[in-house]
Structure formats: structure tokens, C-alpha cells
């Protein structure tokens, strides 16, 4: 009878633990990062006297050996890779859109066309002041458009620096979190609920890290993660309970890089995925666009001023500079008097239009409008290409998440069935204890 009591008691304990685990699954069905758990059970055996087999191994009940997570490291790695790839592309698209806005919102192409068209009106009647005044207004508007375009791109670059710095700080904090989880796993018993919670937190943190940079992750037998940033050959970001520090920087040429400082050494992380990789891509795109606009502005200033210097204004004096500024954001119109437009060739008189005709020729030879249109077109083509890639990566990410969810996600219908099954087993085990107790009492009553 004592065996019956022990068997019943073991069942009560085991199924109480199973009920607790199932209840945890149900309660956390909507919790981000929670992985479904199951209570692992085994038969308890021991030596005893068998009626037919003599000295044989007899069943002695059931015991919970631990809590198992329905997780798969390969599916987790697939999700991290998909997240990193999608984050890079999505981030890059944000800054390509920002470049497109900077190149088009100030209507720089329209302002260039309006300036040269105003020059043609002056050429038609060089001695009239009204066309000259209009051309001066168009020149002022053009300078403002150049400034706005250049300033917008410079502001985008400053915003990129700030956002990348914050992303690097976030990655540093997440790495420190992984180090703390590793330390906790070192002190936690295998198969315990505490270990399961720490492993959930580990995977959640790794998922957030992969959205910032692609990772190479290795695990030891205790589940502790060693994390390299960028690739398998990248710098070690987390090892044991020690984490590195991540920084973002740009060199004098504007090229951006991600570095990891750990254990007194600094190494560049070859970021191929994640938000930081997208920000590095964005920096390269903005730097190129800004350089193209600055070069366009500088060439325009030098070329127009050269044409202006080759002619005479209405007073017969050599033409002064139209514009000043070495970068787009610095461009200013410095010609303040419409009569100062040098429309005439040297010595030809105020009614001559020989020099303003040279400005029309500069429109073709300088190709300013065509260069701007080309820059806008290159950026637009990059946006279209990235959007196609983004759609494919979203599909891959969705598939990876579905595959992981099919294994580790909580299905409330299944959990409800388990809940009833374990409850019935618990009640049956309780009934075994009750019957054994009643039998023992009956024997005692006979005595």
C-alpha cells in the first residue's frame, strides 16, 4: 500500500508541474519572445519483488525531469538572418527617399531652366531693364534653391550620424544584456523554468541585435552565447559575461564604419546586414549625392562668373561676379543691380547681346540641368531596385517567422487539450492516493 501512496503522490507532483507549465504557456501566448514549454516526464523505477518474475524492476510512479523549450537554433538563426537583411534594405530605402526629397523638393531643375530662359529674354532686348530685373530674381531664386538642396543633404548626413550613434549605443546595451544572461545561465540548473526564461531572454536580445547588425552566434552546453558582429570572421562582441562597446564613425572622406572595442582592442565589424549596415549604405549615398550637388554648384558658379567677366554691363564696365560660394549650401547671388548683367560683348555697346548669348551656349556645354536630372534618375533607379529586394526579403522574413512560430509558438487549442489531459491525470493520481488510504484504513480497522 505504501507503494500505491508513493505512486499516487508522484503523479500528483508530476501532473501539478505539467499543469503549471501548460498554464504558463496559455498566459504567455501573446508575450513577445516567449517559447512554448513542456514538462518532461519519465517513469520512476526501482528494484522490487515481482509475483511472476521474481526480483524484477517494478514501476514506482512518474517524475518531472525538467522543462523543455520548443526551440530550434537553426530556425532562430534563419529568422535573425532574415531580420538583418530586411533591416538593411528598409533602412537604406529611408535615406534614398531622403535624398530624392532633397534633390527635388527645392525644384532646382526648374530654377536652372528659369535662369537660362530669363537670359534668353535679356538677349532679345539687352537694353530693357525689365528682363534684366526678372533675370536677377531668377538668379536669386536659383541660389536659394542650391542652398536648400545642399543644406537638406548636409542635414541628412548629420541625422545619419546621430541615428547611427544611437543604434551603436543600442547594440552595446543589448550586448551587455546578453552578457548578463550568460552569467545567469552559469548559475541556473539545466532543465529548470529559470533556465527556460533566461533562454527566452537570450533569443529575444539576439533578435533585437540582428535587427541592428548581422551576427554569428555560437552556444555552449549551458546555452551561453558567444556573439560576433558582422560575420563569422567579425570581432567578438560577447564572450561569457563580457561584452564589447560598439561605435560608429566617419573618416575625412565621409566613409562610415562600425567598430567593436573589447578587451583593450578595437576591430572593424564587416556589417553586411541590420540597421547599421543600412545606415552605412545611406551615408555612402548621401555623401555621393552631396558631392555631386556641390560639384554642380561650384562648376555653375565658376562658369557663369567666367561668362559674366567676358562681357560689359550697361555702363560699359566689365561684368562682376553673379554668384559666390564653393558648396551648394553656401551659394549666394552677389550681383545686386540688373544693369550689372554683362549682356554685351566687350566694346560692342549696351544694345549688344553677344555675351549673354554665350550664357545660352554655356547651358548646353555645361550640361547643368542634364547632370541634375541624371543624379535624380540614378537615385530613383536605386529606390526601385531596393523596393524589389525589400519585397523579396519581406517574404523570406515572413516565411522564417512562420517556420519558427510553428515550432515554438503557443497554440491555445493544443494547450487547452493538454490542460484537460493533465487535469484528469492529476485527479486520477489523487484518486489512487485516496484508494490506497482507504485500503490502509480498512486493514487497520480489521486489526
Amino acid at each position: 500500500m505504501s507503494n500505491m501512496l508513493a505512486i499516487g503522490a508522484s503523479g500528483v507532483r508530476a501532473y501539478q508541474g505539467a499543469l503549471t507549465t501548460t498554464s504558463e504557456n496559455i498566459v504567455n501566448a501573446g508575450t513577445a519572445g516567449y517559447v512554448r514549454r513542456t514538462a518532461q516526464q519519465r517513469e520512476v523505477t526501482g528494484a522490487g519483488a515481482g509475483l511472476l518474475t521474481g526480483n524484477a524492476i517494478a514501476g514506482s510512479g512518474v517524475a518531472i525531469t525538467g522543462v523543455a523549450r520548443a526551440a530550434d537554433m537553426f530556425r532562430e538563426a534563419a529568422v535573425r538572418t532574415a531580420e538583418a537583411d530586411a533591416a538593411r534594405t528598409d533602412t537604406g530605402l529611408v535615406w534614398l527617399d531622403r535624398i530624392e526629397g532633397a534633390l527635388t523638393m527645392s525644384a532646382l531643375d526648374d530654377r536652372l531652366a528659369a535662369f537660362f530662359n530669363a537670359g534668353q529674354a535679356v538677349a532679345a532686348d539687352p537694353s530693357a531693364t525689365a528682363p534684366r530685373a526678372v533675370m536677377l530674381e531668377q538668379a536669386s531664386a536659383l541660389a536659394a534653391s542650391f542652398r536648400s538642396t545642399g543644406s537638406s543633404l548636409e542635414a541628412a548626413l548629420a541625422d545619419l550620424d546621430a541615428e547611427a550613434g544611437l543604434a551603436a549605443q543600442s547594440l552595446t546595451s543589448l550586448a551587455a544584456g546578453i552578457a548578463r544572461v550568460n552569467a545567469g545561465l552559469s548559475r541556473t540548473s539545466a532543465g529548470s523554468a529559470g533556465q527556460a526564461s533566461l533562454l527566452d531572454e537570450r533569443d529575444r536580445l539576439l533578435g533585437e541585435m540582428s535587427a541592428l547588425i548581422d551576427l554569428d552566434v555560437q552556444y555552449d552546453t549551458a546555452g551561453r552565447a558567444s556573439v560576433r558582429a558582422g560575420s563569422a570572421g567579425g570581432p567578438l562582441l560577447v564572450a561569457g559575461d563580457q561584452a564589447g562597446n560598439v561605435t560608429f564613425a566617419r573618416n575625412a572622406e565621409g566613409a562610415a564604419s562600425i567598430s567593436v572595442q573589447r578587451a583593450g582592442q578595437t576591430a572593424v565589424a564587416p556589417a553586411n546586414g541590420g540597421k547599421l549596415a543600412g545606415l552605412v549604405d545611406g551615408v555612402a549615398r548621401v555623401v555621393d549625392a552631396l558631392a555631386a550637388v556641390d560639384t554642380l554648384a561650384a562648376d555653375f558658379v565658376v562658369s557663369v562668373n567666367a561668362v559674366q567677366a567676358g562681357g560689359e554691363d550697361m555702363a560699359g564696365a566689365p561684368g562682376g561676379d553673379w554668384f559666390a560660394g564653393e558648396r551648394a549650401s553656401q551659394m549666394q547671388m552677389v550681383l545686386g543691380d540688373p544693369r550689372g548683367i554683362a549682356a554685351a560683348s566687350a566694346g560692342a555697346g549696351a544694345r549688344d547681346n553677344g555675351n549673354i548669348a554665350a550664357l545660352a551656349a554655356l547651358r548646353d556645354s555645361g550640361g547643368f540641368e542634364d547632370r541634375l536630372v541624371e543624379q535624380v534618375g540614378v537615385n530613383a533607379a536605386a529606390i526601385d531596385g531596393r523596393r524589389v529586394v525589400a519585397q523579396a526579403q519581406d517574404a523570406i522574413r515572413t516565411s522564417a517567422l512562420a517556420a519558427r512560430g510553428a515550432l515554438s509558438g503557443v497554440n491555445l487549442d493544443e494547450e487547452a487539450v493538454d490542460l484537460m489531459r493533465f487535469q484528469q491525470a492529476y485527479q486520477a493520481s489523487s484518486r489512487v492516493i485516496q484508494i490506497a488510504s482507504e485500503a490502509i484504513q480498512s486493514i487497520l480497522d480489521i486489526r
Side-chain angles (χ1 to χ4, degrees):
M1 291 302 168
S2 61
N3 280 347
M4 287 185 65
L5 283 171
I7 290 171
S10 72
V12 168
R13 288 192 297 269
Y15 291 112
Q16 184 179 38
L19 283 168
T20 299
T21 302
T22 303
S23 299
E24 284 288 323
N25 289 339
I26 294 173
V27 169
N28 289 285
T31 302
Y34 181 84
V35 174
R36 181 172 58 85
R37 302 166 189 173
T38 55
Q40 300 293 300
Q41 299 176 345
R42 67 170 176 82
E43 180 187 5
V44 177
T45 59
L51 294 176
L52 298 178
T53 60
N55 195 15
I57 301 298
S60 300
V62 64
I64 290 182
T65 59
V67 176
R69 299 169 68 245
D72 182 275
M73 56 184 282
F74 300 107
R75 297 191 190 192
E76 288 289 346
V79 170
R80 289 198 300 269
T81 299
E83 289 284 3
D85 291 343
R88 176 178 184 172
T89 301
D90 292 344
T91 301
L93 270 171
V94 169
W95 297 101
L96 286 171
D97 287 337
R98 183 81 175 264
I99 293 170
E100 182 177 53
L103 293 176
T104 59
M105 289 184 66
S106 298
L108 182 56
D109 53 344
D110 293 339
R111 297 302 183 190
L112 279 166
F115 172 76
F116 285 113
N117 291 339
Q120 293 177 348
V122 172
D125 190 1
S127 61
T129 57
R132 289 171 173 265
V134 170
M135 188 177 186
L136 208 64
E137 291 177 1
Q138 295 298 341
S140 178
L142 175 58
S145 185
F146 263 114
R147 286 196 306 275
S148 178
T149 302
S151 297
S152 294
L153 290 171
E154 289 175 356
L157 202 53
D159 290 345
L160 269 166
D161 287 341
E163 187 167 345
L166 291 174
Q169 291 177 15
S170 295
L171 186 56
T172 298
S173 297
L174 291 169
I178 291 290
R180 289 192 294 272
V181 169
N182 284 346
L185 288 169
S186 300
R187 302 186 296 268
T188 305
S189 300
S192 65
Q195 185 195 47
S197 295
L198 285 171
L199 293 176
D200 283 356
E201 180 67 4
R202 180 202 66 186
D203 290 346
R204 184 189 69 80
L205 292 171
L206 288 172
E208 291 187 17
M209 291 174 72
S210 66
L212 295 173
I213 195 169
D214 53 317
L215 306 173
D216 176 74
V217 183
Q218 302 295 326
Y219 306 103
D220 65 10
T221 56
R224 292 170 295 198
S226 294
V227 184
R228 291 185 180 273
S231 66
L236 198 58
L237 180 55
V238 182
D241 60 357
Q242 300 296 316
N245 183 58
V246 183
T247 57
F248 170 89
R250 288 195 294 117
N251 61 20
E253 289 74 32
S257 62
I258 312 298
S259 298
V260 175
Q261 293 96 33
R262 183 182 169 277
Q265 296 185 347
T266 300
V268 174
N272 299 305
K275 181 177 183 178
L276 282 167
L279 291 171
V280 170
D281 293 342
V283 167
R285 293 282 186 177
V286 174
V287 166
D288 288 346
L290 181 57
V293 171
D294 281 345
T295 300
L296 178 66
D299 290 349
F300 180 83
V301 169
V302 170
S303 299
V304 172
N305 285 349
V307 170
Q308 176 77 353
E312 292 180 349
D313 61 18
M314 293 187 74
D321 285 349
W322 263 103
F323 301 97
E326 297 180 355
R327 299 201 306 268
S329 61
Q330 298 175 333
M331 185 183 287
Q332 299 287 339
M333 187 189 72
V334 295
L335 184 65
D337 185 355
R339 296 173 57 85
I341 298 174
S345 299
R351 301 183 66 83
D352 181 69
N353 66 357
N355 196 55
I356 200 71
L359 190 65
L362 176 64
R363 182 180 192 177
D364 295 329
S365 63
F368 305 109
E369 294 160 276
D370 291 340
R371 287 159 64 182
L372 180 61
V373 169
E374 181 181 4
Q375 187 65 33
V376 173
V378 167
N379 192 74
I383 290 175
D384 291 340
R386 287 292 181 92
R387 284 177 177 160
V388 171
V389 173
Q391 290 176 352
Q393 289 175 338
D394 283 343
I396 293 172
R397 177 170 55 185
T398 299
S399 177
L401 288 169
R404 185 184 68 178
L407 175 67
S408 61
V410 175
N411 184 309
L412 290 177
D413 292 336
E414 292 179 0
E415 298 300 327
V417 171
D418 284 344
L419 197 64
M420 289 188 291
R421 179 164 60 89
F422 293 140
Q423 186 178 20
Q424 290 171 354
Y426 179 88
Q427 291 171 344
S429 297
S430 299
R431 181 61 176 157
V432 169
I433 295 174
Q434 182 182 0
I435 292 173
S437 298
E438 291 173 352
I440 292 172
Q441 187 61 47
S442 297
I443 293 172
L444 293 174
D445 290 342
I446 292 173
R447 292 179 182 177

